[in-house]
Amino acid sequence: MDDLLKPLQSRRISDVERNGNTIEDNIEARPPRQQDFSINSSEDVLEALKSQPDSQFLCKVLRWLDAIVKNPDGFNIKKPGPKAAQITYILVNDVVPNHWHSLRSSDSLAALNCLRLLQQCLRSVAGIGAIISRLRLLNSLFKESSGRKDASALGRMQSLEVLLDFTGYILEGEKAFAIVWGDLNSFFTNPSLKSLYWKEFLSLVASGKLLSLASEAAIQLKNSDSSLKISGWVEDGRKYAGWLGVNIQYMLKSMPRDHLESRNALTQLLSKSLTLGYTDQVVLGTCSGLFKGDEASSANLKDTIQVLTAHERKTVLYTIVRLLSRHFLPQSRPSSESQDTTSKAIGGAAVLILALTDDNSSILELLVSWLIGPSAEASGQTHNAHRAVIAALSSDKELLKGALQKSLELLGDKLYIKHTPILHQEVNAQITLLLFGNLYRVEKNALLSLAHSSIYLNAISNRLAASSDRARSLGMMVGNSISELVDPIDTRMKFSLEHMEGSETRWYQSLTKVNDSIGSISDLRPLQNPKIFEISPSKTAKPQTRPVKAVSAKTTSKIISIGEVDDGPDDHDDLPMYQKADSDPLDEDEDPTLVQRDKPTAPVYITDLIAGLRDTENFDRNKLSLETASSLIRRKAAFGTEVSDNVEELATILVGLNDRWELEDFSKLRLQGMIAVLVAEPLKMGQWFSMTFYNGDYSMSQRASVLTTLGLGARELAGLGKEDTALTGANVSGTSFPSKQLPDKMHKIYAVEAGPMNSLSHQLERTMIQPMAAEAADQVIGPNALKVRTFSSRMAVEKKRTKAIPNKLAKLVAEGFFFPLTGRWRTHIQSFAESTSHTSPFLLSHFLKTLSLILHASGSSTLSLPQMTSEFWDLLLSLRPRATDPAVLESLLFAFLTLLDINEDGQKRLADEHAKELLETQGWVEGIFERVGGGSAEGDRVRMLATGVLMRVRVVVEKYQRMLMGDLVDFM
């Protein structure tokens, strides 16, 4: 045992005594950090920082290092160099971890001044580089110590927290990039050297290095301590991108327009910022001053956009139009009465777009491409955004003529009519009428000839010959509107159909009379105050938590039990006995001062409900509002306009609501509230939820809840709501594949959102496959003549018969639910390709199941079923390459099965209009049996669905084989 502990050095007491000093004397004999210690050079600074300075001495050192002070030897810590790098390293690695908490928590003037000096010294290329190196090192060390609770792991955790907070403090504000660029201008006269250091700074801060490391650190901290609340902004991508945009806006405002070097630096900053993936936040921050009416920065912004590459120019311009559509222009379709009230905002948006184009032909062509094209971005934006862009282009007549010709050619393209989502076709028809009306007022004779040209006549003829009812209706409304404008009364085109005399036809006819003028940027008013950028203050208030009963440390009074005295037999047997009163849980606490009597009451008005849902600091009020949301919305939906006036605000709050209190039934209650909102205003909110699924900054679980709302809401409108009541609170405990299960906390989030849709899809699968299985069993057993049939009494038959339920969904399923979802899918995929969460297996499978359930709930007698079938079939065939994931493959097969099942009564129409689709589907499904083997629950399920689809297809093919023969030859 003695061999294990060997002293490295031994010293006798006499040796210490011989020196004449004790250990205490040696400590006291150390030279103190005197105030007379003079700092005259960078070597003195380095020596002072290594000597573990206190706060007062640190302020003295930082004061000398301050870039504003004229140092004798010309040294500046912001200027790149070896000494500056050493001092920066010590400040970041030693000084900040030791002094940050004391300086940050102090309110004294000296501490605030010390923080300001520290910020000025390290806001440089070398300072940010040292912070990133330190952050990368701490991340790697923290990974190595993950799962341990020793002192070193806790120390690394605290160091990461300090560094994240310190980084946010160093970079906060709108002048960070302007200060660094100004310092580089003062340090270097060589443009190449200046550009080199500027690009280095951009690669550290604007390209995502700092953001990715900060996000990694925040995730590791949260994983190590789930109760830890990180209130910074550097690790938040949206806030970080907003900070970049605000800094770009400040440089635009303060930069001289004729300074080419500064403009190039600003262009590089904007170009780097667009690669982060938060384009909306960057552009919103960049144009924040312009949106508020500040026209001073418009000239610099226009010059900067013109210097960008073609792709970046297109991205910025389309994002500006999208932000105008989302934040400043009304979202709903205007009527003839409301056009005058919205024209002012449209004029303000038009002048802003016009200020950025400045007769630049390339930018104007981009706007035309935004309006018109097979993949036009305009299809995903509001109608008022189309009006604003056309008003901005109205000054160039030749450009409008070319745009109108392109629009008419697209309107009559047969492939476009057959395969393009109906939402795109509707937008193209509206843009055609708006362009025609604008040109007719200035070039009447030219448009008279165009109205009788072959382009126009072919467009209307091809529309009238289309197989889709909706495509024909659009052709009729366009032809009717243009003919009313250019033809005499006795020769006007007129269609005597019932649906051509409705409000929609009158609205389309009014588009040719829209005359939007150029206004002023000051006319722009945000619909809701957009939060351009938020940075948490230097001292964040602690979030209020649930009220916890405190245990008093003082001595409490002791309750002495009192015994009963038996006075003999009870002579009061005739007196009635009363039950003991129910105990109040609020009275169970021993300390009466802790009892809270001011309990909130349930909201009775929608405005009270909105306020309660927003009040996330009050646990009782927030929980009570969430519990009563569904019932209150349903009660108020048929009473007055209280729900309709606030329906979008309610939906926005419910979709973005987070489970801060970790309520047990949070997802179930939120889903019930969202369904109640959808059912209250089905047409309007169906379109709103469809747009929200693609737009907005929401998590995958929130987007999944939007799809679940659309699916269950559609079934409730179809009269199937009672069957789905139990599904809104799905049981997430069971799973067939525990090895592929997420961690418990994440699994509950995603499983609750997707649970109702999965249960319904499984139920429908059984409903559709059981008849085929029964028919196959009958063929095995023998002919029907040999079977015994049992007869039931009339009373039993009537008891089992269900009453017919009116299907309210059939009237609005196409316009309110189905086409908004399918129409925006193509635009979204073409805009974002693979860099979107919508193509993830979880959301894509959920998306397909939602469309399948909506189609099934609409019924086989829905008037728009042929067009829905055509559009859905094209979408499913285009998603075949993505069916590599088992969940997507299963959802795709379920969608095919639903599509064929709902069209069972129209098999002849399928063989006539969708012959190629039938044969393509048959060939693809046959290949699944070769790729997917049985023997597992997952494989058996896929093969079962594939068998169901193949049997449905073969029934149609065998029945109408002669009709398909011509298409079969073309297909082969």
Side-chain angles (χ1 to χ4, degrees), residues 241 245 248 270 274 278-288 291 301 315-321 323:
I248 296 172
L270 180 57
L274 293 175
Y278 298 91
T279 308
D280 286 6
Q281 285 73 25
V282 171
V283 177
L284 184 59
T286 302
C287 302
S288 58
F291 288 153
L301 181 59
T315 301
V316 172
L317 188 63
Y318 287 6
T319 304
I320 290 175
V321 178
L323 292 173

Side-chain angles (χ1 to χ4, degrees), residues 31 75 149 219 302 352 399 446 484 644 686 704 776 815 836 851 940:
F75 173 79
K149 298 296 183 181
I219 291 172
K302 176 188 63 179
L352 189 147
L399 194 67
E484 184 180 306
S644 59
E815 185 180 359
T836 174
L851 288 174
D940 291 342

Side-chain angles (χ1 to χ4, degrees), residues 446-565:
L447 285 191
L448 286 174
S449 61
L450 182 62
H452 297 88
S453 64
S454 60
I455 297 176
Y456 170 72
L457 296 177
N458 286 336
I460 300 301
S461 299
N462 292 340
R463 281 281 164 183
L464 296 179
S467 59
S468 169
D469 292 338
R470 185 59 180 169
R472 289 196 300 270
S473 299
L474 288 175
M476 293 178 191
M477 287 186 286
V478 171
N480 198 0
S481 302
I482 294 179
S483 178
E484 184 180 306
L485 200 63
V486 299
D487 294 335
I489 298 178
D490 53 344
T491 60
R492 287 179 182 173
M493 188 182 300
K494 189 174 182 181
F495 300 94
S496 301
L497 298 175
E498 183 179 355
H499 68 273
M500 290 299 297
E501 298 177 359
S503 58
E504 185 182 24
T505 303
R506 291 193 296 270
W507 184 82
Y508 271 88
Q509 290 175 349
S510 68
L511 293 180
T512 56
K513 302 178 180 63
V514 172
N515 186 16
D516 295 311
S517 58
I518 302 297
S520 173
I521 296 181
S522 58
D523 294 333
L524 287 175
R525 294 288 183 271
L527 303 175
Q528 300 173 352
N529 293 326
K531 298 179 181 179
I532 296 175
F533 180 55
E534 290 183 355
I535 296 181
S536 58
S538 58
K539 288 190 177 180
T540 56
K542 294 182 180 180
Q544 183 178 353
T545 56
R546 302 186 192 185
V548 181
K549 298 178 180 180
V551 179
S552 177
K554 300 179 181 179
T555 58
T556 56
S557 59
K558 184 177 181 181
I559 300 176
I560 304 174
S561 60
I562 303 175
E564 295 182 359
V565 179

